[in-house]
Amino acid sequence: MVSRAADRLLIVVSVLEGRCFPKRPKHVLIVEARLDGEQLATDPVEHTDQPEFATELAWELDRKALHQHRLQRTPIKLQCFALDPVSSAKENIGYIVLDLRAAHEKKQAPKWYPLLSNKYPKFKPEIQIGVALEADSKALVEDFKAKEAPPREGKILTHFPGLDPKSIVPVLNEEEGYHQIGPAEYCRDHFVLSVTIAFATQLEQLVPSTMKLPDRQPEFFFYYSLLGNDVTNEPFTDLINPNFEPERASVRIRSTVEILHVYFCAQSKLQIHLCCGDHSLGSTEVPLSGLLRKGNVAIDQHPVAIEGPFVLVPPNRAKQKLSQMPLDLAPTVGVSVVLQRESLTTQAATEPKQPQDKVVSPVSGKAAESQQQRSQNVSSQPDKCSSKEDVATESEVESLKLEKGTKPRKGGLVGGCPQEVNKQPFEELSALKLQGKTKSPPLDLQNPTDSGPVAISQPNPVGVSTSSEPVSAQKIVIPAASHHFCFSIDLRSIRSLEVGFPINCMLRYSYPFFGSAAPIMTSPPVEVRKNMEVFLPKSYCAFDFATIPHQLQDTFFRLPLLVELWHKDKTAKDLLLGVARLQLSNVLASEKTRFLGGNGEQCWRQTCNETVGFIATQGSGSRVAELSYAITLEDYGLVKVQEVIVSDSSQLKKKEMVHMQALAEEWKKRDREREALVKKKVAEYNVLEEQLQKTLRDLDKRERQLFSAESELQRVKKELQAEHERNLQVLQDSVRRAREECAHQLEIEKSKIKQLEEDKLRLHQQLYEAENKYKTLEKEFQQYKEQQSSKPEIQLQSEINLLALEKVELERKLESATKSKLHYKQQWTRALKELARLKQREQENAMAHLKKQQQELEHMRLRYLAAEEKELGKTDRQELEDIRNELNRLKQQEERKKLQDARDNSGDRVDSLHSRKLNENTDDYLSRLIEERDTLLRTGVYNHEDHIVSELDRQIREAIAKRNITI
């Protein structure tokens, strides 16, 4: 069994860098990407002219979900915002829409995408973005279960050592137009793999009776994926009689037979789906493992093929537990898968081909166009131009357009037959191609310009080819002033909700001027609450049409676009809350910007971004919400296809016959449809009858089981009834015996109570007699006491008793006083000791305080002596200064004397100079000593009793004495 990890993929969007942005120093740039409602964002970067994002955004999903998204053409929308970090204001400056189908597992070079709805009109910002598919490397924990054995690779590994079969994946070579399967150094052979869908039958069995198809004529088509390329065949509208031309899709492969055998064993099934719009009605699987057998060399001589009818199975058959249909009523599709060497393909190229060839290998635009022209030249003659060939050509062009990733548009222009279409380049076809194939009403021949924009030309009648029309047929010429316009609407967000409850918002609008009166709605509904802004999903729509510019302006000024705000309720009817009026003429007043079209022609674009309010449809007409939207009008210039061929009036009878024949065929067709529906109903009824018979058999069996169970229940009931009666009899006997015993016991108790009553009366009588006797004795005792109290001995005895009591009281008081005295004595002794201790402590404190005072006095004395010594030093210094001045005066006198007696008293002059130098040195030494002593005393650390200060005093006294001796 293939691991589930191989089915997990990552859609990686690489937002690399930007260019042509304006510089906004106070803002940052953020890119938000949204896919299927899940939003991711890049980190904020500086708002410079070339911002560097360098961020990868990834969404995780499996291959089935990716397939569904590709069927639904789900876009990846990137919005670029300018954020002010101070005020947190968020400004939308543009968006980019990426096509999910452009993502492949092979890494491709990133591309530059311009911002749409650009807010900077003077700049053209672009962002470099890359889209790729990557395998999810996250390990998945699986339960223990049996796994399918891998294909035996002994021969492969023998021929190609080091090759891992799991790494064999197709790799596209765009330059040479083939897929490489396996290592390039081993693969030298070229093959062609073709898939042809030839026919289909009983397709109406896939549509249940309860399924509701679209109101318009639905289109059905087959879809499959061939080496990573999505392929669809020509759409058809009749399920009962599907009428489509067989189409063959081919891819070129470069590989070897052995490697292809391993690859087909790994990718063993080709899934083919029958689709209606975005829904799959049924699918089948074509096994590819049987294409190449191990050791089989048949592919060297002729192509190998798997072909035949395959049964289509509804996607919900297993979920609904539906029974299998009979083979003759089962829906089938005829598929042919052919693999052959390219050399055999070139030999068979000269043979006529019945099905249409469709080359699905992605090549360049010119190569695709040449391949398309070659396939059409082989399959049809250039002078035949039928309506079916026209449709087939449009299908091929549409397929090529989807492979190139162009944006689908609603509405558009078609013209001419396939012969004329082939003459125009691919870009012009994609611009003039109609997305849907619905028929429009015939053009007004009298006044073609008043019928609004031209959306599609009238198709040819069934069975009549344009080659049979005479040369003299009339022609309607589209006015030369008609322009090709593209109008796009982007309903971005809704905010400022003024409703008292959250709503499931859905917007709906219609504008028939664009060529379609069908309403356009946003989906799915999004929940909107108060004070929040919600971005709307799938809200972008574009319309292609042709009209005259003044008619466009007149219509835009006269008819606003009405957008309805609906609340979708699952339990009640949808509620219309309000209507917004979008004035489309505002886009005409916006600035025009020039751009190049697909063929290099000059085109013009006008963009308008506004906010409009929804006005309530009921009540006072107040505003219920605000809508932010962007509209863009693109003018591609004059329409190139300007002729529509109309039949001549001489062919009215032929047309009448053709219409009658068409009506007859339509009647037969509907008759066949009714027969097919009856057969389908009969088959359904047969299935229901079988189910009913089975149910009846089950009910009969269940009834028999119930009967046997009921018999058993009756037997058990009888046994329980007998048991109950026996138990009831035993219980009654027990109750009777208990009653008899209770009655006997009651008699005994009554007799006991009677005896007790008699004893009570007797005891009451005895008590009364005892009380009378007690009262009599009490009276006699009182009388006796009164007689005894009158005697003197009794009085003396009473006094003695009183004195004894007083004695006892006095002894007690004496003992208490003695104890108090002893206690007070102990307290007095303790107080004396405490007093002595306090006196001793006070004396010690006093001595310490006295010593401290003495020390302070000594310090004060020393300070006084130091101050006195300082004053004395100042006096000495003054005396020294006076002495110095006197010496200077005497020196000057001596110098004058020496000048006069220089020759006579030279010896005395030398002695005087020596004495003067000695005195000067002594004065300097004395000044230095006095200054050092004063500095030490000023610090407060030293006093006159310190040794260093005493030593300085001694040196000062010696220096003074020495100076006096010298003088």
Side-chain angles (χ1 to χ4, degrees):
M1 182 177 181
V2 182
S3 177
R4 287 178 293 175
D7 295 333
R8 305 297 297 178
L9 296 174
L10 289 177
I11 300 177
V12 181
V13 176
S14 302
V15 185
L16 302 177
E17 59 179 341
R19 64 186 181 186
C20 301
F21 279 79
K23 292 184 178 180
R24 299 178 69 179
K26 296 182 180 180
H27 289 74
V28 294
L29 286 174
I30 298 177
V31 176
E32 293 181 355
R34 183 186 297 270
L35 174 62
D36 196 24
E38 185 178 0
Q39 180 172 310
L40 302 175
T42 63
D43 295 331
V45 298
E46 295 181 0
H47 198 313
T48 60
D49 56 344
Q50 293 182 351
E52 294 284 341
F53 296 97
T55 304
E56 287 187 350
L57 308 176
W59 291 268
E60 181 183 4
L61 74 170
D62 53 8
R63 292 186 182 273
K64 185 176 181 181
L66 176 63
H67 172 67
Q68 291 295 330
H69 284 303
R70 283 180 169 175
L71 281 179
Q72 298 174 5
R73 300 176 182 176
T74 304
I76 303 177
K77 189 172 183 179
L78 284 78
Q79 290 184 301
C80 187
F81 294 94
L83 179 65
D84 187 359
V86 179
S87 62
S88 299
K90 199 174 182 181
E91 180 183 1
N92 187 358
I93 62 174
Y95 66 92
I96 296 172
V97 178
L98 302 179
D99 192 355
L100 187 57
R101 293 169 298 174
H104 299 286
E105 294 187 6
K106 178 184 176 182
K107 192 172 184 181
Q108 299 179 353
K111 299 180 181 179
W112 289 95
Y113 293 85
L115 285 181
L116 304 177
S117 299
N118 177 24
K119 299 296 183 183
Y120 305 130
K122 296 183 180 179
F123 299 85
K124 294 182 179 180
E126 295 180 344
I127 300 178
Q128 191 179 27
I129 299 173
V131 185
L133 290 177
E134 296 181 3
D136 191 2
S137 60
K138 182 173 65 175
L140 297 177
V141 179
E142 296 184 356
D143 297 334
F144 179 79
K145 54 188 176 181
K147 297 184 178 180
E148 183 180 355
R152 298 179 181 179
E153 304 150 354
K155 188 174 180 180
I156 299 299
L157 297 178
T158 302
H159 286 276
F160 309 105
L163 178 62
D164 185 8
K166 297 180 180 179
S167 63
I168 301 177
V169 293
V171 179
L172 174 63
N173 188 334
E174 295 185 359
E175 295 180 357
E176 300 185 13
Y178 61 81
H179 287 79
Q180 177 80 33
I181 300 180
E185 60 270 17
Y186 299 144
C187 302
R188 303 295 183 186
D189 300 335
H190 289 269
F191 301 88
V192 176
L193 178 64
S194 303
V195 178
T196 304
I197 298 179
F199 62 90
T201 60
Q202 306 294 339
L203 297 183
E204 70 275 2
Q205 301 293 340
L206 295 173
V207 183
S209 303
T210 58
M211 181 177 180
K212 183 178 180 182
L213 294 176
D215 296 336
R216 295 186 176 183
Q217 189 174 13
E219 290 186 346
F220 306 93
F221 59 91
F222 285 98
Y223 163 83
Y224 56 92
S225 179
L226 187 60
L227 297 186
N229 301 284
D230 296 337
V231 183
T232 59
N233 74 327
E234 174 189 346
F236 56 93
T237 59
D238 191 0
L239 280 180
I240 299 176
N241 297 307
N243 185 13
F244 58 88
E245 292 187 5
E247 292 186 0
R248 179 167 59 244
S250 304
V251 290
R252 297 179 62 229
I253 301 174
R254 183 177 180 179
S255 182
T256 62
V257 176
E258 293 82 3
I259 295 178
L260 283 180
H261 170 64
V262 175
Y263 176 74
F264 287 144
C265 289
Q267 308 290 334
S268 58
K269 296 177 181 179
L270 173 66
Q271 284 192 348
I272 300 177
H273 295 263
L274 174 64
C275 302
C276 176
D278 298 337
H279 301 282
S280 175
L281 302 180
S283 63
T284 187
E285 294 180 346
V286 181
L288 300 179
S289 57
L291 270 178
L292 293 175
R293 300 294 181 181
K294 190 174 181 180
N296 191 357
V297 295
I299 192 173
D300 297 332
Q301 287 80 22
H302 57 80
V304 293
I306 296 176
E307 55 188 12
F310 295 89
V311 178
L312 292 167
V313 181
N316 55 355
R317 175 179 294 277
K319 188 179 297 184
Q320 296 179 356
K321 299 181 180 180
L322 300 176
S323 59
Q324 295 292 336
M325 293 184 180
L327 292 178
D328 55 345
L329 296 178
T332 57
V333 57
V335 183
S336 173
V337 181
V338 179
L339 178 66
Q340 57 184 338
R341 292 186 179 273
E342 193 174 25
S343 58
L344 299 177
T345 307
T346 55
Q347 294 176 5
T350 57
E351 300 178 3
K353 300 180 183 179
Q354 294 298 330
Q356 283 184 284
D357 285 343
K358 181 184 292 186
V359 181
V360 298
S361 299
V363 294
S364 61
K366 294 182 179 180
E369 182 182 354
S370 61
Q371 288 181 356
Q372 181 184 2
Q373 290 178 356
R374 287 198 302 269
S375 63
Q376 291 174 354
N377 292 334
V378 173
S379 61
S380 63
Q381 298 297 327
D383 57 343
K384 293 182 179 181
C385 183
S386 64
S387 60
K388 291 184 179 180
E389 292 172 349
D390 190 7
V391 176
T393 307
E394 290 179 1
S395 176
E396 292 174 3
V397 175
E398 182 69 13
S399 175
L400 290 174
K401 184 175 73 174
L402 292 178
E403 286 296 326
K404 294 202 47 94
T406 57
K407 178 181 66 177
R409 295 169 176 166
K410 294 188 176 181
L413 295 173
V414 297
C417 60
Q419 180 182 357
E420 297 173 350
V421 172
N422 291 333
K423 295 179 181 179
Q424 298 183 11
F426 179 75
E427 292 81 1
E428 185 175 344
L429 277 172
S430 61
L432 300 177
K433 181 72 183 65
L434 177 65
Q435 175 66 20
K437 291 181 172 57
T438 57
K439 296 182 179 180
S440 65
L443 296 174
D444 189 357
L445 303 180
Q446 302 297 328
N447 191 3
T449 60
D450 295 337
S451 62
V454 179
I456 185 173
S457 62
Q458 176 71 14
N460 296 325
V462 178
V464 179
S465 63
T466 56
S467 59
S468 63
E469 293 179 354
V471 181
S472 62
Q474 297 180 0
K475 294 183 179 180
I476 296 177
V477 180
I478 298 177
S482 296
H483 283 222
H484 177 199
F485 291 99
C486 176
F487 188 84
S488 61
I489 304 174
D490 186 9
L491 305 178
R492 293 180 174 174
S493 63
I494 186 170
R495 61 176 183 267
S496 303
L497 184 65
E498 298 295 337
V499 183
F501 56 91
I503 65 172
N504 291 326
C505 170
M506 182 191 71
L507 301 185
R508 180 177 183 270
Y509 64 90
S510 174
Y511 205 76
F513 178 75
F514 292 145
S516 174
I520 298 173
M521 296 172 288
T522 61
S523 63
V526 295
E527 184 177 3
V528 183
R529 299 177 181 269
K530 277 190 176 182
N531 302 322
M532 67 179 293
E533 182 177 3
V534 178
F535 291 92
L536 299 171
K538 298 181 181 180
S539 60
Y540 178 83
C541 188
F543 302 91
D544 277 307
F545 57 93
T547 187
I548 303 174
H550 74 82
Q551 187 177 3
L552 175 72
Q553 295 177 5
D554 180 65
T555 305
F556 279 6
F557 276 105
R558 285 189 301 103
L559 301 177
L561 177 63
L562 302 181
V563 180
E564 300 174 350
L565 174 63
W566 288 84
H567 167 55
K568 291 188 70 66
D569 195 342
K570 296 181 180 179
T571 59
K573 187 178 180 181
D574 295 347
L575 177 62
L576 177 60
L577 299 178
V579 178
R581 299 172 65 88
L582 276 60
Q583 195 63 39
L584 303 183
S585 59
N586 295 339
V587 72
L588 301 175
S590 59
E591 182 181 357
K592 288 187 177 182
T593 58
R594 180 181 300 176
F595 68 97
L596 295 179
N599 295 328
E601 69 274 9
Q602 295 290 340
C603 305
W604 297 93
R605 180 186 291 119
Q606 292 174 282
T607 304
C608 179
N609 299 276
E610 289 185 347
T611 301
V612 68
F614 285 99
I615 306 302
T617 56
Q618 300 178 357
S620 60
S622 59
R623 176 177 293 187
V624 296
E626 290 185 357
L627 172 65
S628 177
Y629 68 95
I631 53 178
T632 302
L633 179 64
E634 296 178 354
D635 186 359
Y636 291 94
L638 297 175
V639 178
K640 295 181 175 57
V641 181
Q642 298 179 357
E643 293 185 356
V644 178
I645 302 176
V646 179
S647 302
D648 191 78
S649 59
S650 60
Q651 298 182 355
L652 291 179
K653 292 183 179 180
K654 185 185 293 184
K655 283 191 176 183
E656 185 178 0
M657 294 297 296
V658 169
H659 285 303
M660 293 299 294
Q661 184 179 359
L663 288 175
E665 292 179 357
E666 183 68 21
W667 176 262
K668 293 179 181 179
K669 177 182 176 182
R670 293 191 179 185
D671 194 15
R672 289 194 299 270
E673 290 178 358
R674 284 193 294 271
E675 292 179 359
L677 290 176
V678 169
K679 289 182 180 179
K680 179 181 177 182
K681 291 293 183 182
V682 169
E684 292 178 357
Y685 293 154
N686 291 332
V687 172
L688 292 175
E689 185 178 0
E690 292 179 0
Q691 294 179 355
L692 183 59
Q693 292 293 337
K694 182 180 179 182
T695 305
L696 289 175
R697 289 192 297 271
D698 294 340
L699 288 175
D700 189 14
K701 181 179 179 182
R702 186 176 179 184
E703 186 177 359
R704 289 194 298 270
Q705 293 176 354
L706 288 175
F707 179 75
S708 61
E710 188 176 357
S711 302
E712 183 68 18
L713 181 62
Q714 292 294 335
R715 184 183 63 79
V716 173
K717 184 177 179 181
K718 290 180 180 179
E719 292 178 356
L720 291 176
Q721 186 69 24
E723 184 70 21
H724 174 68
E725 291 177 356
R726 287 194 299 271
N727 293 335
L728 183 59
Q729 185 65 31
V730 172
L731 183 61
Q732 289 176 355
D733 295 341
S734 300
V735 170
R736 181 177 55 78
R737 288 194 296 269
R739 285 179 179 177
E740 292 176 355
E741 291 177 358
C742 288
H744 178 67
Q745 190 71 22
L746 184 61
E747 292 294 332
I748 295 173
E749 293 295 331
K750 285 182 179 180
S751 60
K752 288 182 179 180
I753 291 173
K754 186 176 181 181
Q755 184 67 30
L756 290 174
E757 289 289 339
E758 293 176 355
D759 294 342
K760 179 181 177 183
L761 292 175
R762 182 173 55 80
L763 291 174
H764 274 293
Q765 184 67 29
Q766 292 177 0
L767 179 62
Y768 179 73
E769 293 175 355
E771 287 179 353
N772 292 334
K773 188 176 180 179
Y774 173 74
K775 290 179 180 179
T776 304
L777 292 175
E778 185 71 23
K779 288 180 181 180
E780 291 177 356
F781 179 72
Q782 289 294 335
Q783 291 175 1
Y784 175 75
K785 284 178 67 176
E786 289 176 358
Q787 292 176 2
Q788 292 294 329
S789 62
S790 60
K791 294 180 179 181
E793 292 85 358
I794 300 301
Q795 294 178 355
L796 290 174
Q797 187 65 33
S798 299
E799 291 178 358
I800 289 170
N801 291 336
L802 289 174
L803 290 173
L805 291 174
E806 289 179 358
K807 177 185 175 182
V808 172
E809 183 67 23
L810 289 174
E811 287 178 353
R812 188 182 61 77
K813 289 182 178 180
L814 177 61
E815 185 179 0
S816 176
T818 303
K819 290 181 179 179
S820 298
K821 179 180 178 182
L822 180 61
H823 178 71
Y824 291 151
K825 187 176 181 179
Q826 291 176 355
Q827 292 292 332
W828 178 252
T829 303
R830 192 179 295 112
L832 290 177
K833 290 181 180 180
E834 185 68 22
L835 180 61
R837 188 175 60 81
L838 291 175
K839 283 184 178 181
Q840 185 177 359
R841 185 185 299 172
E842 187 65 24
Q843 289 177 0
E844 290 177 357
N845 291 337
M847 291 297 293
H849 185 64
L850 181 60
K851 287 182 180 181
K852 186 176 180 180
Q853 287 181 351
Q854 289 177 357
Q855 290 177 358
E856 290 179 355
L857 290 174
E858 184 66 21
H859 289 165
M860 290 177 65
R861 186 179 67 79
L862 292 176
R863 287 193 188 96
Y864 177 74
L865 291 176
E868 193 176 32
E869 184 68 23
K870 187 175 181 181
E871 290 295 331
L872 181 60
K874 288 182 179 180
T875 306
D876 293 342
R877 193 179 293 111
Q878 185 65 34
E879 291 178 356
L880 288 174
E881 187 68 26
D882 295 340
I883 292 171
R884 186 178 296 166
N885 294 333
E886 184 65 21
L887 287 174
N888 291 332
R889 186 179 60 78
L890 293 175
K891 183 174 65 175
Q892 290 177 359
Q893 292 177 1
E894 187 66 24
E895 285 179 355
R896 285 195 295 271
K897 289 180 181 181
K898 286 180 181 181
L899 288 174
Q900 294 175 2
D901 302 328
R903 295 180 180 178
D904 298 335
N905 299 325
S906 58
D908 295 337
R909 184 178 62 184
V910 172
D911 294 337
S912 176
L913 290 173
H914 183 269
S915 176
R916 184 180 61 187
K917 184 179 296 184
L918 183 61
N919 291 334
E920 290 178 357
N921 293 335
T922 302
D923 292 340
D924 294 338
Y925 178 67
L926 183 61
S927 301
R928 183 172 59 79
L929 290 176
I930 294 171
E931 185 177 358
E932 289 179 358
R933 185 191 63 182
D934 294 341
T935 302
L936 292 175
L937 291 174
R938 280 196 299 271
T939 59
V941 179
Y942 300 94
N943 52 27
H944 288 280
E945 295 178 358
D946 292 335
H947 175 72
I948 187 170
V949 178
S950 301
E951 183 66 22
L952 289 174
D953 289 341
R954 185 183 62 78
Q955 291 180 5
I956 289 171
R957 287 193 296 271
E958 289 179 357
I960 293 173
K962 187 176 180 180
R963 182 177 60 81
N964 292 334
I965 292 173
T966 304
I967 294 174

